[in-house]
């Protein structure tokens, strides 16, 4: 069974959607460990409630690479095969990323390369985009810039607020992430330049 390491900083709804997909046999994997850089993250409490290994490594004030070394140790100790960022709001060092080549996934609430970085839903509204959505991608050393695995579009409605748009995008995130994880775990893809090619997509 492939072992997932989840990194989160907040609410953890994407983590819970992954946990549900596993429980409902839509995703063949197990969650080896959940790590948060914020001790008060609701996602961490939810992981503990589900009886998972959940660890908090507070990041405040720590040098990025020193912190990431701790993180690597925690993930290695739990023998993770794939790392899933699920609302992990801290930039990873190149050191961390090079430790797990093409083994780190992220979910982002826009159709990348549009609206990378923080507050992607706000950026889409401000820009007047008619369609936004969500993206699962491999993590490389840039900001939300790694090869794209899967995307779902979400229309922007005239009456949308950041909250209403975020809610509709989040529903799609919850569907998309488990499918993208299943694809990567299956190994049934290849990366050609920036393109992730798979008969499963
Ligand atoms: C999600 O919308 C996720 O796409 C976003 O944070 C939210 C976390 O929600 N991630 C980013 O913006 C990363 N740049 P969750 O804690 O309920 O999964």
């Amino acid at each position: 069974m492939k072992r997932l390491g989840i990194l989160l900083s907040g609410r953890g709804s994407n983590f819970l959607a992954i946990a549900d997909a596993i429980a409902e046999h839509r995703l063949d994997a197990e969650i080896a460990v959940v790590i948060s850089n914020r001790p008060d993250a609701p996602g961490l409490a939810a992981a503990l409630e589900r009886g998972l290994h959940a660890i908090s490594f507070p990041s405040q004030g720590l040098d990025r690479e020193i912190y990431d070394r701790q993180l690597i140790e925690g993930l290695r100790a739990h023998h993770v095969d794939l790392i899933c960022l699920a609302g992990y709001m801290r930039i990873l060092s190149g050191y961390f990323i090079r430790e797990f080549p093409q083994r780190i996934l992220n979910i982002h609430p826009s159709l990348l390369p549009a609206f990378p970085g923080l507050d992607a839903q706000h950026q889409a509204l401000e820009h007047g985009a008619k369609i936004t959505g969500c993206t699962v991608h491999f993590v490389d050393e840039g900001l939300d810039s790694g090869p794209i695995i899967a995307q779902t579009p979400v229309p922007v409605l005239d009456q949308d607020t950041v909250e209403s748009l975020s809610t509709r995008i989040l529903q799609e995130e919850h569907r998309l992430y488990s499918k993208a994880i299943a694809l990567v775990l299956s190994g049934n893809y290849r990366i050609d330049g920036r393109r992730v090619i798979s008969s499963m997509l």
Side-chain angles (χ1 to χ4, degrees):
M1 186 84 81
K2 297 284 189 186
R3 296 169 65 78
L4 305 180
I6 309 272
L7 301 186
L8 55 78
S9 305
R11 180 178 51 189
S13 75
N14 274 291
F15 145 63
L16 287 169
I18 294 166
D20 288 346
I22 291 172
E24 292 160 17
H25 306 289
R26 288 181 280 117
L27 177 61
D28 189 19
E30 62 186 305
I31 296 177
V33 64
V34 177
I35 303 179
S36 174
N37 63 322
R38 298 188 50 123
D40 56 351
L44 200 60
L48 285 170
E49 265 168 40
R50 293 202 175 200
L52 296 167
H53 292 287
I55 316 173
S56 124
F57 286 154
S59 56
Q60 220 172 11
L62 279 188
D63 169 83
R64 194 171 302 285
E65 194 168 313
I66 291 174
Y67 180 78
D68 281 1
R69 280 178 195 271
Q70 245 186 56
L71 213 51
I72 292 166
E73 267 178 40
L75 292 161
R76 292 257 183 249
H78 289 86
H79 306 287
V80 304
D81 297 296
L82 188 67
I83 296 159
C84 301
L85 309 187
Y88 185 67
M89 303 312 250
R90 190 178 155 87
I91 290 174
L92 292 165
S93 62
Y95 177 75
F96 183 97
I97 290 160
R98 288 190 293 275
E99 275 289 304
F100 302 100
Q102 287 169 10
R103 296 278 94 192
I104 312 168
L105 306 187
N106 182 42
I107 186 147
H108 182 78
S110 74
L111 292 179
L112 291 171
F115 315 128
L118 290 177
D119 301 322
Q121 304 93 331
H122 177 74
Q123 292 186 53
L125 275 177
E126 283 290 294
H127 195 85
K130 297 295 185 196
I131 298 177
T132 182
C134 51
T135 301
V136 178
H137 63 94
F138 287 106
V139 174
D140 67 7
E141 293 190 34
L143 177 65
D144 297 324
S145 64
I148 291 169
I149 300 162
Q151 296 185 299
T152 306
V154 173
V156 180
L157 308 178
D158 291 345
Q159 65 275 22
D160 261 332
T161 59
V162 171
E163 289 69 33
S164 64
L165 180 59
S166 300
T167 301
R168 289 204 318 288
I169 294 174
L170 198 62
Q171 286 170 353
E172 297 304 331
E173 292 184 40
H174 294 164
R175 293 192 187 101
L176 190 68
Y177 211 174
S178 300
K179 287 186 194 164
I181 293 168
L183 167 72
V184 172
L185 291 181
S186 78
N188 194 0
Y189 67 94
R190 67 189 162 85
I191 302 180
D192 181 3
R194 288 197 46 84
R195 301 177 72 192
V196 178
I197 312 230
S198 171
S199 55
M200 280 172 73
L201 287 171

